Amino acid sequence: MNANKHNLKQQASNGAFWGLSGNLTVSAISFVGTAILARILSPKDFGLLGMATLITGIVQLFGNLGLGAALVYKKDVDDEYLSTAFWSSLLVSAGLVLVSIAVAPLAAIFFNEPTVKWIIIVLSANFIISSLSSVQRALLHKDVKIKRMVFIEIVSRFLRVIFMLVCALTGLGFWSIVIGIIAECILKTILYVLTTQWIPTFQFHKMRFNELFHYGKNIYGQEFLNYLNRSMDFIITGRVLGAKLLGFYQFSYNLPYLVKSYIQDGISPVAFSIFSKVQDDNKRLAGGFLNAVKYVSIITFPVMSGLAFCAEDFISVAYGSKWLPAAEPLKLLCFGSALASVHCLVYSLFNAKGRPDIGLKWGLLILPTTIISVVLFSRWGIIGVAWAMFCMEVLTIAVAYIATKLLNTSFKSYFKALLPAIYGSLAIIIALYFITHKILVIPNIYFRFASNILLGAITYVVFLFIFYRKDLINTLDFISLGMRK
């Protein structure tokens, strides 16, 4: 038992380390690429892409049958399961292309932007391309081979940025982003197929499909509703406020989203795989879940708090002063993303316990509230939209309460796991306010921004070392364990 427990901890640590390291690298590449593009393209260019990707994202969700998650959850799968899942995904993806072509003109009318139609049609090619590697991705997740996935994601994202920048410099405008997205998808698919060396056979078993879909349908519904809840701000901003303001809102959303996806893409799949291995042992599962919440919050909370404090300087330094209208909503979205980074672990827990229906029911409950809130708050522009999305993330704390009851543990233990990160983040904000705004007034924006980063990091580490030394050491030990082979 002890050996097995150590092996799971090693798998979790390795997977988390490579997942986070990989997503950090991918996020850094994306950030640099976006920062350069921000000086070449206009807010409207980014707004048009935001509108189109919203629609393709919604269409894609109709084809997400949850089969990949079902393959990860199921303890024993053979080639019959894998091939059945592959052909199902491919067939559905072909249907999604037709759906995209049909809804593209309607989306152009909805947003009052004719160009959106052609962007949606071109981007729909990604449905077919990505389906060709859907099973291969599930296999790597199931075996917690995150290091291989990290390599694929980094290489393909780097290629995407190169394509976008070259095309943007040649004057292709928003089409440069479209070309980069498609190039990334093609390379990613090729690399996943070559890495796993799994090739589907010509077989489809209805019973196998029904078995996978029985589990996956709730995850499908859960992810569909989660996407709508997350994207309602973009949908309503684009419809009510227009492409230009959507472009500004997108830039306030960009970095918090990178941090949130940094956790969702880097930690959630690992957590799901590891949680699934001990799905019947509530005591071990609760311990692993609370540790994951603590480690993730210790990483994300200070980053988001520091970014919120330096929002104006960050926007000016990273994107240029023309994007300053994005600063105020950025502050609210930072705090919302900090909460989202730990809430996403709750859904991994539900799925591992075979209860994705809980996430589905929560999505059904919260969606109407999200729509009403964003519509009402949009009268105050993109700042109002940001307030609405922050409030929705605060409400999602209720899901964490449900998770603790499912594990037969107390909600107090969940809140206690967050305390080091909460207090440490408050220490950062207080220290930066007094040092850089009261004691040392630094007029140069670049020097001030760099000073805030350095002082914030030092303050946080010193605070944890003094008041939460054990948690700091455990987090560092977990990271160091993941760096080992």
Side-chain angles (χ1 to χ4, degrees):
M1 177 65 73
N2 289 335
N4 183 45
K5 184 176 180 179
H6 176 75
N7 183 53
L8 281 178
K9 184 177 180 180
Q10 180 73 59
Q11 279 190 311
S13 182
N14 282 143
F17 173 78
W18 287 109
L20 290 175
S21 299
N23 273 304
L24 179 62
T25 305
V26 170
S27 298
I29 294 171
S30 298
F31 172 74
V32 171
T34 302
I36 298 173
L37 282 174
R39 288 165 167 77
I40 303 173
L41 305 180
S42 68
K44 185 174 181 179
D45 288 329
F46 284 95
L48 290 172
L49 258 295
M51 292 173 177
T53 52
L54 272 174
I55 301 302
T56 55
I58 293 172
V59 172
Q60 185 177 24
L61 285 172
F62 282 103
N64 179 15
L65 304 179
L67 302 184
L71 291 174
V72 175
Y73 172 77
K74 188 171 177 58
K75 293 184 177 180
D76 299 308
V77 294
D78 54 24
D79 196 62
E80 290 182 352
Y81 283 104
L82 300 177
S83 295
T84 297
F86 176 86
W87 295 114
S88 299
S89 298
L90 184 60
L91 180 62
V92 171
S93 296
L96 295 183
V97 174
L98 299 178
V99 172
S100 297
I101 294 173
V103 303
L106 300 177
I109 294 172
F110 177 80
F111 289 116
N112 195 28
E113 289 288 351
T115 310
V116 170
K117 176 178 73 173
W118 301 109
I119 301 176
I120 292 172
I121 291 173
V122 173
L123 286 176
S124 67
N126 278 354
F127 296 144
I128 296 282
I129 299 169
S130 62
S131 71
L132 298 175
S133 62
S134 59
V135 172
Q136 288 86 344
R137 290 195 300 271
L139 286 172
L140 291 178
H141 275 307
K142 186 176 183 67
D143 295 333
V144 202
K145 295 180 178 178
I146 307 301
K147 188 175 180 179
R148 297 184 186 182
M149 301 184 73
V150 164
F151 171 78
I152 293 171
E153 297 294 328
I154 290 174
V155 171
S156 57
R157 184 55 56 91
F158 181 77
L159 179 70
R160 168 178 170 168
V161 170
I162 294 299
F163 266 86
M164 288 193 300
L165 294 179
V166 171
C167 292
L169 290 172
T170 57
L172 290 179
F174 57 81
W175 285 112
S176 59
I177 305 178
V178 176
I179 293 170
I181 292 172
I182 293 176
E184 178 186 33
C185 189
I186 292 172
L187 179 61
K188 195 181 294 187
T189 295
I190 292 172
L191 292 176
Y192 272 121
V193 172
L194 292 177
T195 299
T196 58
Q197 297 184 342
W198 177 83
I199 302 297
T201 55
F202 292 98
Q203 54 181 329
F204 179 91
H205 294 268
K206 186 177 179 180
M207 289 182 61
R208 297 286 189 266
F209 172 81
N210 290 338
E211 187 178 343
L212 294 173
F213 184 66
H214 178 71
Y215 173 84
K217 63 184 179 182
N218 285 314
I219 292 183
Y220 156 71
Q222 176 192 124
E223 292 183 353
F224 181 80
L225 291 169
N226 283 343
Y227 182 85
L228 287 181
N229 279 312
R230 293 194 310 267
S231 304
M232 199 51 60
D233 50 348
F234 273 67
I235 295 172
I236 295 174
T237 300
R239 178 68 179 88
V240 177
L241 303 178
K244 184 177 180 179
L245 284 178
L246 178 60
F248 283 121
Y249 184 80
Q250 186 173 355
F251 269 70
S252 66
Y253 181 87
N254 274 344
L255 196 59
Y257 172 77
L258 284 178
V259 173
K260 184 167 62 176
S261 63
Y262 169 70
I263 298 301
Q264 288 179 333
D265 298 339
I267 291 292
S268 291
V270 178
F272 177 39
S273 300
I274 298 299
F275 291 167
S276 294
K277 296 179 186 297
V278 292
Q279 57 188 266
D280 299 321
D281 188 340
N282 265 3
K283 185 177 180 180
R284 292 180 65 188
L285 189 53
F289 171 68
L290 293 174
N291 281 334
V293 167
K294 180 180 292 184
Y295 298 152
V296 167
S297 63
I298 283 176
I299 294 170
T300 59
F301 279 35
V303 174
M304 289 292 90
S305 298
L307 179 59
F309 183 85
C310 306
E312 288 86 359
D313 289 351
F314 167 76
I315 292 292
S316 297
V317 170
Y319 303 127
S321 58
K322 72 178 181 180
W323 294 97
L324 273 175
E328 286 302 317
L330 170 61
K331 297 175 183 179
L332 291 164
L333 294 175
C334 281
F335 292 118
S337 290
L339 292 173
S341 68
V342 290
H343 290 161
C344 67
L345 295 169
V346 175
Y347 294 100
S348 296
L349 174 67
F350 291 155
N351 297 342
K353 287 292 289 182
R355 294 298 309 276
D357 60 293
I358 298 177
L360 174 62
K361 293 171 184 175
W362 174 255
L364 286 170
L365 177 66
I366 202 68
L367 180 59
T369 308
T370 302
I371 295 173
I372 294 171
S373 298
V374 175
V375 170
L376 291 177
F377 280 70
S378 65
R379 68 180 64 185
W380 290 285
I382 57 177
I383 297 176
V385 173
W387 265 110
M389 296 307 292
F390 170 72
C391 291
M392 291 304 99
E393 204 58 58
V394 172
L395 285 178
T396 307
I397 293 175
V399 177
Y401 175 80
I402 297 171
T404 57
K405 295 306 174 186
L406 186 65
L407 293 173
N408 297 320
T409 189
S410 67
F411 181 66
K412 183 179 179 181
S413 62
Y414 178 85
F415 184 71
K416 186 177 179 181
L418 295 174
L419 287 181
I422 292 174
Y423 288 142
S425 298
L426 287 174
I428 291 175
I429 294 174
I430 294 170
L432 291 183
Y433 175 76
F434 281 103
I435 294 174
T436 63
H437 283 63
K438 298 295 182 181
I439 301 174
L440 298 175
V441 179
I442 305 173
N444 184 280
I445 186 174
Y446 296 97
F447 186 59
R448 183 171 65 240
F449 183 60
S451 298
N452 279 328
I453 294 175
L454 181 61
L455 289 172
I458 293 173
T459 299
Y460 187 64
V461 172
V462 170
F463 178 87
L464 290 184
F465 184 78
I466 295 174
F467 297 102
Y468 292 97
R469 187 175 306 180
K470 182 178 179 181
D471 294 318
L472 176 63
I473 292 173
N474 287 340
T475 303
L476 294 175
D477 284 345
F478 187 79
I479 294 172
S480 66
L481 181 63
M483 297 173 68
R484 301 171 195 168
K485 185 174 179 181

